Amino acid sequence: MSEPRQPLPDTVVQGRTGGTNLVRVGVQNRALVLDLVRRRGPFARADLVRATGLSAQTVSNIAAGLVGAGLVREVPGGGRRLEVVAGSRSAIGVHLDPAHLVVVRTDLTGAVLAVEHVDLDATDDPARTLDTMAAAVRRVRGRRSAPAGIGLAVPGSIDPDGVRMGTPAQLPAWWSLPVTDELTARTGLPVLLEKDGVASALGEVWAEPAADDLVSVFLGHGISAATVAAGEVVRGATGNAGEFGGMPVEAHGRWTEVWEACQPLQQVRRAVTAGLLPAGIPLDRATDVRHAFARLCATPAAAPLVAEAGAALGSALAHVVELLDVPQVTIGGSAALAGGDVFIAAVRERLAVRLPQGPFPTVAATAFGEASVARGVACAVLQADLAVPAPAVRGAGPGRRPGGPVHLRSIAHPW
């Protein structure tokens, strides 16, 4: 058998730098080709040979298999170029936030086909919230064919078994709850559990050819961050990478942690003290805090307070950017989006001050709005479905996290 061709020097596809002709890793080769067509297509077969380093026969066989499975097709009149069939797979993504639920249905490209937003207070009644979640899943699914599964993105840590939440500080009633089993029982669909920050990062790289190295920050009622290196989301030994909230920063006149400098509840408290918001806001209700924070960010007089939070995040990110040498920072989550241009500009300005000699990354809000995390966890379901040739038993499938026990910790810090 001839030696495999060398892939193009800049070929990086979901963390893989080239294929191999060994039969036992045919699934990896198939995923490699499909990733290229999905993220960078349409692709001619000859270009796939160059991009992957695989032999022409191997690429031809993989392409025939993907066409036969309905995942890709030849572009009409396109010189045998291949493009992904967007409607060949779908998945449902659910993002659980203490104040808000987002449920989406996506196609294979990650395009959002249906979305629902539901305000809720999820802190004390998991059964009621799971019922609400299941009803929203049924609505976005409609009468269409069964999706590949449901992805559930949650705050805080998750257990390595991929079944249970850890100990999110804002959701004590959910601690150690087997949420995947509970949601499967209500919907009849398999459920994959993921951290909100990791899901957000995966959504950024799923269909974007240029997003191979970046830091994705999620700022909702908690804060987390995830790194993408060579197209692969870094999950860590237990699937719980993203401990970012404890980064020390100087903000609001004192040294504090970045979560406290940015979190909506803390900002609402400051705003009430400063007279920017009225007293009497029920601070123990996540939904009320969410709406009060949105009103605050829309108040011109509150711009300095919003900018101070953005500057704090920029200070924390400076360490991450220097450590990882990433060219791109993407920021999402309801709190960041509410802060808008004022918040993002403050992040950029502080990074410029802290990194005068570079490297200076591009900084932008996510293009996927408040559905970014739900969309990302739907993409995680698609990734697992396409990478694994047959359903796996519990504990051995894509939801399984390697490593030892998860420490009792949470990036979604206390209210």
Side-chain angles (χ1 to χ4, degrees):
M1 181 177 66
S2 62
E3 291 297 316
R5 293 170 173 79
Q6 294 301 309
L8 294 178
D10 61 349
T11 297
V12 179
V13 186
Q14 297 290 345
R16 308 176 184 92
T17 56
T20 172
N21 290 316
L22 297 176
V23 175
R24 61 189 174 87
V25 289
V27 172
Q28 175 186 335
N29 290 341
R30 177 179 181 270
L32 172 64
V33 171
L34 182 57
D35 274 337
L36 272 170
V37 176
R38 178 175 52 77
R39 296 179 73 204
R40 305 183 183 191
F43 246 103
R45 287 170 172 80
D47 293 332
L48 285 169
V49 170
R50 293 181 61 248
T52 62
L54 296 167
S55 71
Q57 185 61 56
T58 299
V59 167
S60 180
N61 291 340
I62 291 173
L66 292 173
V67 171
L71 293 169
V72 303
R73 64 188 171 204
E74 290 190 357
V75 179
R80 303 198 71 201
R81 291 186 304 157
L82 299 173
E83 65 179 4
V84 73
V85 179
S88 61
R89 291 288 190 281
S90 69
I92 291 174
V94 178
H95 177 205
L96 174 65
D97 178 86
H100 197 68
L101 186 71
V102 184
V103 182
V104 304
R105 178 170 54 87
T106 72
D107 65 18
L108 181 55
T109 69
V112 175
L113 306 175
V115 61
E116 282 222 2
H117 295 264
V118 182
D119 277 348
L120 52 81
D121 281 298
T123 54
D124 60 358
D125 193 344
R128 179 165 59 90
T129 301
L130 284 161
D131 288 342
T132 300
M133 195 182 294
V137 166
R138 287 190 289 272
R139 288 192 295 271
V140 301
R141 175 182 174 179
R143 297 182 179 275
R144 297 164 184 85
S145 59
I150 299 172
L152 175 59
V154 298
S157 61
I158 57 178
D159 237 24
D161 62 8
V163 173
R164 305 171 189 277
M165 295 174 66
T167 56
Q170 296 176 357
L171 300 173
W174 296 72
W175 287 10
S176 300
L177 182 72
V179 287
T180 60
D181 292 344
E182 294 286 342
L183 189 54
T184 292
R186 287 167 168 82
T187 63
L189 293 169
V191 178
L192 184 149
L193 188 64
E194 194 69 85
K195 287 184 64 166
D196 51 12
V198 169
S200 180
L202 180 59
E204 295 299 325
V205 302
W206 182 250
E208 174 51 59
D212 281 330
D213 297 279
L214 61 84
V215 170
S216 175
V217 178
F218 170 77
L219 177 59
H221 283 267
I223 186 170
S224 60
T227 303
V228 177
E232 189 81 9
V233 178
V234 179
R235 287 179 166 86
T238 64
N240 283 289
E243 292 286 344
F244 184 66
M247 293 282 284
V249 294
E250 189 174 10
H252 308 293
R254 61 190 177 89
W255 281 95
T256 185
E257 295 178 335
V258 69
W259 76 265
E260 197 275 341
C262 300
Q263 190 195 46
L265 176 69
Q266 311 306 325
Q267 289 286 76
V268 168
R269 284 175 169 162
R270 294 182 188 102
V272 170
T273 300
L276 295 169
L277 287 174
I281 297 169
L283 299 181
D284 59 340
R285 287 179 52 84
T287 301
D288 290 300
V289 171
R290 170 187 166 90
H291 293 315
F293 183 72
R295 293 196 302 273
L296 173 69
C297 292
T299 303
L305 186 62
V306 174
E308 184 74 2
L313 178 58
S315 292
L317 281 171
H319 300 290
V320 178
V321 170
E322 282 191 306
L323 176 66
L324 302 176
D325 191 23
V326 290
Q328 182 178 347
V329 174
T330 302
I331 304 174
S334 59
L337 296 174
D341 293 340
V342 171
F343 183 83
I344 298 296
V347 175
R348 288 194 193 104
E349 290 168 8
R350 181 56 60 88
L351 276 170
V353 170
R354 293 294 303 272
L355 304 171
Q357 306 301 320
F360 192 80
T362 61
V363 180
T366 179
F368 304 107
E370 198 167 355
S372 63
V373 174
R375 175 185 172 274
V377 79
C379 294
V381 171
L382 294 168
Q383 183 184 58
D385 179 60
L386 295 171
V388 179
V393 297
R394 176 172 297 162
R400 177 72 179 177
R401 301 314 196 269
V406 178
H407 299 296
L408 298 182
R409 64 180 190 263
S410 176
I411 55 172
H413 291 271
W415 285 74

